[in-house]
């Protein structure tokens, strides 16, 4: 935007000359400190109405500017106490003069009173001149004080006619106290009020009186500085306005993205519920099939038993069959009832999920509306700033271009006063707030869904492990391929066996390393890490039987500088999947050693000082180590931070029929981080599986299991997870279902 040499006809927007009350062109414009101007008569009516309204106490009357809503105190003498906008008034006079000549060339001359084509205008006489009187006006000595105020109308059409030229033709304003006298000085005490010489001895005696040229130059210098401040912020004003104009569109896109995300989550949770329903139906179907098979088996058995005596025992047979059918019908009715109850529960979950989705969606829409409303408020506010910015800029440009001393001393102080707050408003950075408003986040649907996990009441099935004769099982792990990898001891040495969940052996490899215990854990894919007495670690491929081993005992003690203790040997191992490390525990040792996946020693961690013995079994749970302690039988969790693990908590021992379990000797986790511990019972050979929450603080479920149970693991098969228990010497696998409930 230009700041000098403005041509009123070419560059002045007609809206700049409009009264915001009557919406017509300004007449005798009065200006407020906010630089918005109004017709004198329009303003007079409004101010009189405001002054006539009652007030409380000594409250001063104020007027709210219709444009910017800024409040101004009403002068005691009403509209006469407000400044006249001389600059705008001059521009309007020139435009009206130009329009009158353009559209009505024949005018009555002020001197000869004849209607001729007007060729000049005298700003001292404030009227038109014909060509003859125009020359007389310029050459008559009696009218020499009019010469500098005479204007040739031919110049009105020139493109280079400026506000400065117009100002030079105007005479000094009249004194407001003595209208017949021209103003000669300015009273700075009274806001640069133009006064005549007699006023200096009257009402303005003792005030700060200034020559208009000196005061005008000072005010112009101040305004030039202020205008430069505006120019520095010119680009930012329109950038911010553009950003605001696109904010709602960005917000809408963000809301659409969140809606899509919410819908995806909803679809996912619906699918989870359907999968749960499918899983439950599969279980019911299996149980129903089991009952039917049991019935058929009984009926066939009964028939065979009674076949020889069928004629004499037909009645008895019918009664027995009827009773068996009745019992079967009861079981089937119970299953149907259970199926209906579970379907009803799943339907409620779907309805609850739908309600939660609608609640979150409504919440997101409400939040979007709030943000859109705030963006609209900011847009309205900033558009007002832009209008004020453009208004002040145009007014400052016009005043500086005119170089009219009397106009400058009147207008510039108010312009400078208005520029200060405007610059502060423009410099305010609303970008952070706007960026935050252009995004919309809602609570995740997943966070509203709680997932419960429980073990089936009884084992789903029990299988015999193929090739398990004359061997002891020492460890099992569920591989990522869905197989069960078993390690143990035979007379000929240790072995690794790969079986499916039905107990069918897929492959077996034996190692002539003596009758030593061997342990295993999943490394990745088909790779299984295994350890064997005294210090062997190896990686076994369950698909082709490849086995890479190394003796880590010498490696550990040479690298760490420790002296190997008597009787030291590996007793357990686990895999830290997040860091791709192998962790081994040694018998009667309070240290655990960490290796990378290439079996290279990394460092040693000491178990908590509060513990008395080494680990019997370990598992990694996030950044924590789960330990079944060898000597005390307790199970605890420790944080693997620093060189010494810090104990976090002990697992609560299960209480079975009023008796606490005594020793934990195996631990594993499911896919959702629930923890499972295998405990031995007090004063009896029984075994107990205990299920804990992922944080280990709550005991969820207990199940009594086979007395010969030795180790446990979980495995994912056909999209369902199973808990598998292997017996030590009888060669059996007990398979329990891990069921995931969705709780809304």
């Amino acid at each position: 935007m230009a700041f000098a040499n403005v041509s009123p006809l070419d560059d002045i927007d007609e809206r700049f000359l409009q009264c915001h009350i009557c919406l017509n062109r300004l007449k005798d414009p009065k200006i407020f400190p906010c630089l918005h101007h109004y017709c004198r008569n329009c303003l007079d009516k409004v101010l009189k109405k405001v002054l006539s309204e009652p007030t409380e106490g000594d409250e001063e009357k104020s007027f709210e500017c219709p444009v910017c809503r800024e409040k101004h105190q009403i002068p005691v003498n009403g509209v006469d106490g407000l400044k006249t906008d001389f600059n705008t008034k001059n521009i309007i006079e020139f435009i009206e003069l130009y329009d009158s000549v353009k559209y009505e060339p024949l005018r009555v001359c002020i001197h000869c009173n004849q209607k001729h084509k007007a060729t000049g205008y005298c700003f001292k006489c404030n009227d038109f001149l014909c060509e003859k009187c125009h020359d007389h006006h310029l050459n008559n000595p009696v009218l020499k004080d009019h010469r500098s105020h005479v204007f040739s109308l031919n110049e009105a059409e020139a493109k280079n006619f400026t506000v400065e030229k117009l100002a030079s033709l105007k005479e000094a304003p009249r004194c407001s106290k003595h209208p017949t006298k021209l103003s000669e000085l300015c009273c700075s005490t009274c806001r640069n009020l133009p006064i005549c010489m007699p006023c200096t001895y009257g009402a303005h005696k003792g005030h700060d009186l200034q020559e208009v040229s000196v005061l005008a130059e000072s005010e112009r210098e101040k305004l030039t500085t202020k205008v430069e401040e505006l120019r520095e912020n010119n680009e930012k004003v329109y950038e911010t306005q553009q950003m605001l104009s696109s904010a709602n569109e960005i917000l809408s896109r963000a809301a659409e993205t969140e809606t899509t995300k919410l819908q995806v989550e909803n679809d996912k949770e619906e699918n989870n519920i359907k999968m749960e329903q499918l899983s439950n139906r599969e279980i019911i179907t299996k149980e129903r099939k089991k009952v039917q098979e049991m019935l058929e088996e009984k009926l066939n058995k009964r028939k065979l038993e009674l076949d020889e005596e069928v004629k004499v025992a037909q009645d008895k047979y019918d009664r027995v069959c009827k009773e068996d059918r009745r019992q079967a019908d009861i079981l089937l009715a119970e299953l149907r009832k259970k199926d209906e109850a579970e379907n009803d529960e799943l339907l409620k979950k779907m309805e609850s999920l739908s309600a939660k989705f609608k609640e979150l969606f409504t919440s997101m829409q409400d939040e979007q509306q709030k943000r859109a409303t705030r963006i609209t408020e900011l847009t309205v506010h900033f558009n007002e700033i832009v209008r004020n910015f453009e208004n002040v800029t145009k007014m400052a440009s016009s005043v500086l271009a005119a170089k009219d001393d009397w106009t400058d001393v009147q207008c510039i102080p108010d312009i400078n006063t208005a520029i200060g707050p405007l610059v502060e408003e423009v410099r305010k950075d609303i970008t952070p707030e706007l960026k935050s408003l252009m995004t919309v986040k809602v609570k995740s649907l997943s966070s509203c869904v709680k997932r419960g996990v429980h073990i089936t009441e009884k084992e789903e099935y029990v299988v015999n492990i193929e090739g398990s004769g004359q061997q002891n099982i020492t460890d099992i792990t569920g591989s990522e391929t869905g197989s069960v990898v078993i390690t143990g001891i035979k007379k000929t040495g240790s072995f690794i066996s790969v079986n499916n969940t039905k107990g069918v052996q897929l492959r077996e490899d034996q190692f002539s390393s003596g009758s030593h215990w061997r342990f295993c854990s999943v490394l990745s894919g088909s790779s299984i890490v295994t350890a064997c007495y005294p210090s062997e670690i190896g990686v076994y491929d369950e698909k082709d039987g490849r086995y890479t081993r190394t003796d880590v005992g010498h490696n550990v003690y040479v690298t760490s500088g420790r002296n190997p203790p008597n009787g030291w040997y590996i007793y357990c191992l686990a895999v830290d999947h997040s860091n791709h490390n192998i962790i081994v525990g040694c018998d009667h040792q309070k240290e655990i050693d960490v290796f990378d996946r290439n079996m290279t020693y990394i460092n040693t961690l000491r178990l908590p000082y509060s513990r008395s013995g080494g680990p019997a079994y370990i598992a990694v749970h996030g950044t924590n180590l789960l330990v079944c302690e060898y000597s005390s039988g307790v199970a605890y969790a420790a944080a693997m931070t620093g060189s010494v693990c810090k104990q976090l908590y002990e697992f609560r021992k299960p209480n079975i029929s009023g008796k606490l379990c005594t020793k934990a000797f195996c631990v594993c986790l499911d896919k959702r981080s629930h923890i499972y511990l295998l405990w031995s019972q007090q004063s009896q050979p029984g075994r107990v599986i205990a299920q804990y929450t992922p944080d280990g603080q709550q005991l969820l479920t207990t199940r009594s299991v086979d007395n010969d149970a030795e180790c446990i693991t979980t495995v994912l098969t056909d999209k369902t997870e199973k808990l598998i228990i292997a017996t030590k010497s009888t060669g059996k696998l007990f398979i329990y279902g891990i069921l995931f409930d969705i709780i809304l």
Side-chain angles (χ1 to χ4, degrees):
M1 180 172 292
F3 287 91
N5 297 325
V6 178
S7 170
L9 292 179
D10 290 342
D11 293 342
I12 297 297
D13 193 329
E14 182 64 31
R15 290 176 297 177
F16 179 68
L17 307 175
Q18 186 183 59
C19 171
H20 293 286
I21 295 177
C22 67
L23 302 180
N24 295 319
R25 185 178 286 174
L26 290 161
K27 294 179 181 179
D28 192 9
K30 291 289 183 177
I31 189 168
F32 277 102
C34 62
L35 303 186
H36 292 118
H37 37 219
Y38 305 91
C39 297
R40 184 190 185 285
N41 290 339
C42 294
L43 203 54
D44 186 43
K45 294 176 184 177
V46 174
L47 294 185
K48 284 180 178 178
K49 182 179 179 182
V50 173
L51 289 171
S52 66
E53 294 174 351
T55 58
E56 296 181 4
D58 297 331
E59 182 183 352
E60 295 185 352
K61 297 284 187 176
S62 62
F63 170 73
E64 185 181 82
C65 175
V67 178
C68 65
R69 302 302 177 188
E70 185 176 342
K71 290 188 176 182
H72 306 285
Q73 289 186 356
I74 300 176
V76 177
N77 54 343
V79 72
D80 291 329
L82 296 172
K83 287 184 178 180
T84 298
D85 187 353
F86 290 111
N87 182 64
T88 304
K89 186 177 181 181
N90 290 344
I91 294 172
I92 291 173
E93 286 181 0
F94 174 77
I95 291 175
E96 289 178 345
L97 173 63
Y98 176 80
D99 289 345
S100 66
V101 173
K102 182 177 180 181
Y103 299 110
E104 194 178 348
L106 297 178
R107 306 299 295 253
V108 176
C109 176
I110 190 175
H111 276 193
C112 64
N113 288 324
Q114 298 296 316
K115 195 169 187 179
H116 297 290
K117 180 181 179 181
T119 60
Y121 189 89
C122 178
F123 281 93
K124 196 168 183 68
C125 299
N126 288 324
D127 215 333
F128 291 95
L129 300 167
C130 65
E131 183 177 4
K132 182 177 179 181
C133 295
H134 177 218
D135 295 338
H136 177 72
H137 229 67
L138 292 174
N139 298 319
N140 190 342
V142 177
L143 300 172
K144 65 180 180 179
D145 59 333
H146 286 231
R147 291 173 186 170
S148 61
H149 302 290
V150 175
F151 168 57
S152 174
L153 293 179
N154 293 329
E155 298 179 13
E157 297 181 5
K159 295 260 183 177
N160 61 353
F161 189 81
T162 65
V163 179
E164 181 180 359
K165 173 67 175 175
L166 174 63
S168 67
L169 296 169
K170 302 286 289 187
E171 64 177 351
R174 300 283 174 173
C175 175
S176 59
K177 187 76 173 177
H178 307 97
T180 60
K181 296 184 179 293
L182 294 175
S183 299
E184 297 181 55
L185 295 172
C186 282
C187 178
S188 295
T189 305
C190 299
R191 297 180 64 208
N192 296 351
L193 184 68
I195 62 173
C196 63
M197 196 57 68
C199 285
T200 60
Y201 305 106
H204 297 274
K205 184 178 181 181
H207 288 192
D208 182 12
L209 306 178
Q210 300 279 342
E211 287 187 19
V212 66
S213 59
V214 175
L215 184 58
E217 186 61 32
S218 172
E219 295 292 355
R220 276 193 288 268
E221 289 177 0
K222 292 178 185 177
L223 180 58
T224 301
T225 302
K226 292 287 187 180
V227 167
E228 188 60 34
E229 284 188 48
L230 283 178
R231 181 183 297 169
E232 291 172 359
N233 291 279
N234 189 53
E235 185 176 348
K236 180 182 177 182
V237 167
Y238 294 104
E239 284 179 353
T240 304
Q241 188 180 35
Q242 179 62 31
M243 185 165 57
L244 279 165
S245 66
S246 61
N248 270 319
E249 182 181 349
I250 296 173
L251 173 62
S252 296
R253 288 200 299 267
E256 184 178 348
T257 300
E258 286 299 315
T259 301
T260 302
K261 187 189 300 181
L262 198 61
Q263 186 62 56
V264 169
E265 287 185 347
N266 183 71
D267 294 344
K268 181 179 178 182
E269 295 304 332
E270 281 189 359
N271 187 58
N272 287 339
I273 293 174
K274 290 176 181 177
M275 290 299 295
E276 180 186 350
Q277 184 181 30
L278 181 62
S279 176
N280 289 339
R281 284 182 177 174
E282 287 178 356
I283 293 171
I284 294 294
T285 301
K286 287 180 181 178
E287 291 183 6
R288 185 185 288 115
K289 184 178 179 181
K290 189 174 180 181
V291 171
Q292 290 173 340
E293 288 175 351
M294 182 179 66
L295 172 62
E296 291 298 326
E297 184 180 351
K298 283 185 178 182
L299 291 177
N300 290 333
K301 187 176 180 180
R302 299 284 188 185
K303 190 174 185 304
L304 289 173
E305 290 174 351
L306 299 175
D307 196 34
E308 295 179 359
E309 305 172 7
V310 65
K311 292 182 180 180
V312 296
Q314 187 67 48
D315 291 341
K316 182 179 179 181
Y317 172 74
D318 290 341
R319 287 194 303 272
V320 170
C321 290
K322 184 177 180 180
E323 178 61 23
D324 288 342
R325 286 192 178 94
R326 190 182 70 81
Q327 293 293 335
D329 287 342
I330 291 173
L331 291 175
L332 290 172
E334 290 177 352
L335 288 175
R336 282 195 298 272
K337 186 176 180 182
K338 182 180 178 181
D339 188 25
E340 290 171 359
E342 289 182 350
N343 282 334
D344 289 344
E345 182 64 26
L346 290 173
L347 183 60
K348 290 178 182 177
K349 289 179 182 179
M350 290 290 282
E351 291 172 351
S352 180
L353 178 65
S354 177
K356 184 61 67 176
F357 173 78
K358 289 178 181 177
E359 179 186 335
L360 292 177
F361 183 72
T362 301
S363 173
M364 186 201 69
Q365 287 183 317
D366 292 343
E367 183 64 21
Q368 180 187 0
Q369 184 58 45
K370 289 178 184 176
R371 290 169 182 261
T373 300
R374 177 57 182 156
I375 289 174
T376 301
E377 290 173 355
L378 286 174
T379 303
V380 171
H381 175 68
F382 204 80
N383 285 341
E384 183 57 42
I385 291 174
V386 172
R387 285 194 293 272
N388 289 343
F389 180 88
E390 293 174 345
N391 181 48
V392 171
T393 302
K394 289 177 181 177
M395 184 167 287
S397 303
S398 177
V399 169
L400 285 175
K403 295 183 181 179
D404 182 344
D405 290 349
W406 290 105
T407 298
D408 290 351
V409 298
Q410 287 291 298
C411 295
I412 289 178
D414 288 335
I415 296 174
N416 285 336
T417 300
I419 286 177
L422 182 59
V423 170
E424 289 298 318
E425 283 288 337
V426 170
R427 286 177 177 170
K428 285 181 182 177
D429 188 6
I430 66 170
T431 303
E433 181 184 3
L434 194 56
K435 285 183 178 179
S436 69
L437 290 172
M438 287 189 291
T439 60
V440 56
K441 293 288 183 182
V442 293
K443 186 178 180 182
S444 170
L445 186 62
S446 300
S447 65
C448 303
V449 178
K450 295 182 180 179
R451 293 174 173 82
V453 177
H454 67 273
I455 312 169
T456 53
E457 289 289 336
K458 296 181 180 180
E459 65 272 10
E460 292 183 351
Y461 53 91
V462 181
V463 297
N464 293 315
I465 304 171
E466 287 186 358
S468 61
Q470 297 183 339
Q471 66 182 22
N472 282 335
I473 294 174
T474 56
D475 202 3
I476 61 171
T477 187
S479 75
E480 293 182 1
T481 63
S483 301
V484 180
V485 179
I486 303 171
T487 59
I489 307 168
K490 290 185 177 183
K491 288 184 178 181
T492 55
S494 63
F495 70 90
I496 301 176
S497 175
V498 182
N499 298 66
N500 63 21
T501 55
K502 301 298 183 181
V504 177
Q505 190 176 85
L506 305 178
R507 69 171 300 116
E508 180 180 279
D509 292 280
Q510 297 189 32
F511 306 91
S512 58
S513 53
S515 299
H516 302 311
W517 283 32
R518 182 176 289 276
F519 311 96
C520 59
S521 184
V522 174
L523 187 60
S524 63
S526 61
S527 296
I528 308 297
V529 62
T530 177
C532 188
Y533 174 92
S535 54
E536 176 189 308
I537 297 179
V539 176
Y540 174 81
D541 192 307
E542 63 167 306
K543 290 183 177 179
D544 56 20
R546 284 181 301 161
Y547 183 55
T548 305
R549 73 183 80 186
T550 185
D551 190 308
V552 298
H554 178 74
N555 188 351
V556 170
Y557 288 103
V558 169
T559 307
S560 65
R562 292 152 52 197
N563 294 320
N566 293 328
W568 178 92
Y569 57 89
I570 295 175
Y571 201 75
C572 54
L573 88 161
V575 174
D576 180 0
H577 291 284
S578 60
N579 295 310
H580 308 292
N581 292 334
I582 302 167
I583 301 174
V584 299
C586 302
D587 186 33
H588 300 296
Q589 301 299 309
K590 295 186 67 172
E591 291 90 7
I592 55 173
D593 297 307
V594 184
F595 301 83
D596 64 19
R597 63 181 298 125
N598 297 318
M599 296 173 285
T600 301
Y601 171 76
I602 298 176
N603 65 319
T604 297
L605 302 177
R606 185 171 178 80
L607 294 176
Y609 290 111
S610 59
R611 309 313 314 173
S612 59
Y617 207 95
I618 57 176
V620 176
H621 183 22
T623 58
N624 300 332
L625 187 70
L626 308 181
V627 181
C628 297
E629 194 171 80
Y630 185 84
S631 57
S632 66
V634 301
Y636 64 89
M640 294 187 291
T641 55
S643 59
V644 179
C645 298
K646 179 182 178 182
Q647 180 172 324
L648 302 174
Y649 54 85
E650 279 190 16
F651 287 93
R652 174 186 164 194
K653 293 182 178 181
N655 188 321
I656 306 299
S657 301
K659 294 182 179 181
L660 289 176
C661 292
T662 56
K663 185 176 182 179
F665 51 92
C666 195
V667 61
C668 70
L669 298 99
D670 64 28
K671 295 300 181 184
R672 300 199 182 184
S673 299
H674 288 79
I675 303 166
Y676 302 84
L677 281 167
L678 182 61
W679 294 86
S680 61
Q681 296 189 62
Q682 184 179 7
S683 304
Q684 51 185 323
R687 296 285 191 266
V688 172
I689 283 287
Q691 180 195 44
Y692 298 83
T693 53
D695 61 5
Q697 301 300 299
Q698 185 178 354
L699 175 59
L700 298 175
T701 309
T702 58
R703 297 282 186 270
S704 294
V705 296
D706 191 86
N707 296 344
D708 194 37
E710 176 67 17
C711 42
I712 57 176
T713 190
T714 59
V715 65
L716 192 64
T717 60
D718 299 329
K719 297 183 180 180
T720 61
E721 195 167 10
K722 307 295 183 183
L723 176 66
I724 299 179
I725 303 171
T727 59
K728 181 177 181 179
S729 57
T730 57
K732 293 183 181 295
L733 293 180
F734 291 80
I735 290 84
Y736 287 79
I738 299 176
L739 305 179
F740 298 95
D741 298 331
I742 295 177
I743 305 169
L744 291 166

